[in-house]
Amino acid sequence: MDRKHLENEKEVRRVLVMGGGLGLMPDLRRLLGKLHSMQSVQTIVITGKNHKMYEEWVNRYEDVKVLGYTENISKYMRWADLVITKAGGITLFEILHSQVPLFVIHPFLEQEMNNARYAAEKGFAKVVWGKHEDYIPELEKLLNDRKLLKQMDENVRHARKEMIDVSLDKAVEIMEERMTA
């Protein structure tokens, strides 16, 4: 699966929303309401093991598909033009492997902040830092800026190539630097 469909202005933007294995995503009602209201946006939400969240959102909107726990995250990441999720270590690795841009809302754990900072510095993530900062306008602006999405897509491909090309010793050194930053 590739994301070349973004080159046509009328094509659909595909968004994957994840909140980790427990399906925790802040303000999901507002987020999905906004994605549903936007023209030409299809959304998949992975609720993980959060059965209550799954039941609350399944079949609510025709353009929002809700899934429970899945071990096939890479399939859905490759489908997406943008992933909205927490910036955990495994997630960041999956983002790089799947080569998909990232949108992070209010990272708060130190590891998530370091990962979000790395992704933003590499140009493949938009991060809304402030806990009280409204992320909806930033998300809407990003989804409507096909040129920026394409640039972020190129940036994630470049970041992945950098990670693959670097030696194991250098990779360990980079990871140690990030952990102490």
Side-chain angles (χ1 to χ4, degrees), residues 85-177:
T85 190
K86 298 166 38 166
I90 292 172
T91 301
L92 190 63
F93 177 79
E94 290 171 326
I95 289 287
L96 286 166
H97 177 74
S98 300
Q99 302 176 69
V100 61
L102 176 64
F103 189 87
V104 180
I105 303 168
H106 312 139
F108 63 93
L109 297 176
E110 186 172 348
Q111 175 189 349
E112 291 175 0
M113 290 188 299
N114 289 337
N115 291 340
R117 191 173 299 111
Y118 167 80
E121 287 171 0
K122 291 293 183 180
F124 65 87
K126 169 63 182 151
V127 181
V128 180
W129 294 99
K131 186 174 183 174
H132 301 291
E133 185 179 352
D134 187 2
Y135 64 87
I136 294 291
E138 292 297 323
L139 177 60
E140 189 171 20
K141 183 172 142 186
L142 176 58
L143 286 172
N144 286 320
D145 189 340
R146 295 175 195 282
K147 193 175 188 178
L148 179 55
L149 275 174
K150 186 175 182 188
Q151 182 61 54
M152 290 173 70
D153 194 62
E154 290 172 13
N155 292 344
V156 74
R157 291 174 195 286
H158 181 72
R160 179 179 188 262
K161 185 176 182 333
E162 280 181 354
M163 292 300 275
I164 290 171
D165 288 348
V166 85
S167 71
L168 181 58
D169 290 340
K170 183 66 176 171
V172 170
E173 181 183 322
I174 290 169
M175 294 306 284
E176 286 174 346
E177 286 174 10

Side-chain angles (χ1 to χ4, degrees), residues 28-101:
L28 192 59
R29 178 178 313 275
R30 191 161 167 255
L31 173 61
L32 294 185
K34 174 42 92 178
L35 292 171
H36 170 66
S37 74
M38 294 180 71
Q39 290 190 352
S40 300
V41 173
Q42 290 179 341
T43 305
I44 292 179
V45 179
I46 298 178
T47 63
K49 295 178 181 178
N50 190 330
H51 303 292
K52 182 178 177 183
M53 183 181 291
Y54 175 85
E55 291 300 325
E56 181 179 350
W57 291 103
V58 71
N59 299 323
R60 181 168 298 196
Y61 300 121
E62 69 278 355
D63 55 349
V64 176
K65 181 177 182 176
V66 180
L67 305 172
Y69 180 80
T70 180
E71 291 187 14
N72 203 358
I73 294 295
S74 64
K75 170 185 168 185
Y76 298 104
M77 284 190 174
R78 285 191 309 272
W79 167 86
D81 300 307
L82 182 69
V83 175
I84 302 171
T85 190
K86 298 166 38 166
I90 292 172
T91 301
L92 190 63
F93 177 79
E94 290 171 326
I95 289 287
L96 286 166
H97 177 74
S98 300
Q99 302 176 69
V100 61

